[in-house]
Amino acid sequence: MNINYWLLKSEPDAWSWDNQVKEGASMWDGVRNYQARNNLKEMKKNDLCFFYHSVTERSIVGIVKVVKEYYPDPTDKTGRFVVVDVKAIKKLKKPVSLDQIKENSKLQDIALVKQSRLSVMPLKKTEWNIIIKMSN
DNA sequence: GCCAACGTTGGC
DNA sequence: GCCAACGTTGGC
């Protein structure tokens, strides 16, 4: 099985890692950007995503797994956007901060660095592995 | 809290 | 279909 890797951003004030853990499997809703939506549509069951806290913390804090592939976002009246269901898998031993990511020359291509406003982005396996290493 | 970057909307 | 105006995101 071929797993793909992603990064999901959330403002911890709106939806935090702790919320995700408490909730178990839950919708990743509220995406209102087409590029991000297209990424959601690409996600397959069992794909893994980093959970990133934006704004206040600016760190990757945990890993979630896609447990249900995309379907229409019930919070979207226009019917244009979608959600996936994700579930918390594990917390990183050490959060990996945006600063650390920016300092790593191998991680300069990810959208977190290049396109700060995108909230759902793909990661290469190599990038995923580097970040995993940084968190240990 | 400010503001740059950028995506979206809507008038033309 | 262009582009100005506007709204939002997120780093600083």
Side-chain angles (χ1 to χ4, degrees):
Chain A
M1 192 168 40
N2 218 351
I3 298 266
N4 290 304
Y5 300 97
W6 308 90
L7 186 146
L8 296 171
K9 270 194 211 174
S10 183
E11 288 192 42
D13 289 343
W15 181 253
S16 70
W17 173 255
D18 288 342
N19 292 136
Q20 185 69 56
V21 170
K22 221 177 292 171
E23 240 4 78
S26 63
M27 285 189 296
W28 195 265
D29 63 8
V31 169
R32 293 294 181 269
N33 167 286
Y34 289 103
Q35 207 181 339
R37 179 201 64 176
N38 292 342
N39 289 332
L40 285 178
K41 286 188 166 185
E42 295 287 315
M43 287 185 187
K44 299 289 182 223
K45 201 173 171 186
N46 295 319
D47 280 359
L48 296 174
C49 318
F50 282 129
F51 191 111
Y52 175 82
H53 277 168
S54 65
V55 185
T56 50
E57 288 182 40
R58 273 162 278 135
S59 303
I60 296 169
V61 292
I63 296 172
V64 298
K65 184 164 87 170
V66 177
V67 293
K68 188 171 176 191
E69 292 175 18
Y70 80 92
Y71 54 98
D73 185 341
T75 70
D76 168 36
K77 290 192 202 82
T78 69
R80 289 182 288 194
F81 295 97
V82 302
V83 299
V84 296
D85 286 0
V86 297
K87 187 179 159 202
I89 296 298
K90 71 177 237 194
K91 192 172 182 166
L92 297 186
K93 280 201 198 98
K94 287 185 299 178
V96 177
S97 70
L98 181 61
D99 287 344
Q100 289 174 268
I101 289 166
K102 284 186 164 172
E103 280 166 14
N104 190 312
S105 60
K106 295 210 174 73
L107 299 176
Q108 295 310 298
D109 284 339
I110 67 177
L112 199 64
V113 176
K114 283 184 139 174
Q115 199 181 346
S116 66
R117 295 185 50 186
L118 187 63
S119 63
V120 180
M121 67 193 74
L123 288 184
K124 295 195 196 79
K125 189 171 187 192
T126 50
E127 294 163 343
W128 177 273
N129 288 337
I130 290 167
I131 294 169
I132 291 287
K133 250 182 226 157
M134 290 164 80
S135 75
N136 281 324

